[in-house]
Amino acid sequence: SIQDDEYIVDLGDRTVDHISKVVKRARTIIWSGPLGIFEIQNFSHGTRRLIDSIANSQAFSLAGGGDTVSAISTFNAFDKISYVSTGGGAFLRYIERREIPIVSRFRRNHFFSHHQ
């Protein structure tokens, strides 16, 4: 029922409840990106609930990207996330391929072996 000129800017309660249940069972959480326009209080519900779910889980949690870091900062939750990376694209690339292009290039050029 969303019209062409309307936007979804946050998650509803049922979706957030489902995500919270998944997070509660998880052993590892990888998070990249807020769930709504968290900078506006009326649209921060999903992001705030996700952070609460992560904080209350026993999982190892990784969070990455500038907007994610901003959300973590907004809700004062740095001590509730196991590891936070400011790199967004590089963070995801590393998770996907276990490499970061610039580091691979340095390795190929033997930069590290000559400058340690």
Side-chain angles (χ1 to χ4, degrees):
S1 64
I2 304 296
Q3 301 300 312
D4 289 344
D5 63 339
E6 295 178 321
Y7 300 92
I8 297 173
V9 294
D10 202 0
L11 299 180
D13 288 330
R14 287 190 350 216
T15 303
V16 173
D17 288 345
H18 176 73
I19 290 171
S20 294
K21 288 176 187 174
V22 170
V23 167
K24 186 176 184 176
R25 292 189 314 262
R27 295 187 326 178
T28 302
I29 299 163
I30 300 172
W31 174 30
S32 178
L35 304 180
I37 304 175
F38 70 92
E39 300 91 344
I40 300 172
Q41 186 174 356
N42 288 347
F43 307 127
S44 65
H45 177 72
T47 301
R48 183 179 301 132
R49 286 273 313 272
L50 175 63
I51 290 173
D52 290 345
S53 295
I54 293 171
N56 292 316
S57 80
Q58 298 300 311
F60 178 79
S61 53
L62 297 158
D67 289 334
T68 307
V69 172
S70 181
I72 293 167
S73 177
T74 296
F75 299 113
N76 195 27
F78 278 105
D79 62 332
K80 298 172 181 147
I81 311 293
S82 304
Y83 182 81
V84 179
S85 169
T86 57
F91 166 76
L92 292 175
R93 176 80 175 234
Y94 180 75
I95 295 297
E96 287 176 3
R97 300 185 182 177
R98 295 284 185 206
E99 73 171 20
I100 298 173
I102 191 67
V103 174
S104 297
R105 188 172 190 175
F106 279 134
R107 284 190 179 130
R108 277 195 311 272
N109 293 330
H110 306 289
F111 179 84
F112 287 122
S113 62
H114 298 296
H115 295 89
Q116 290 186 5

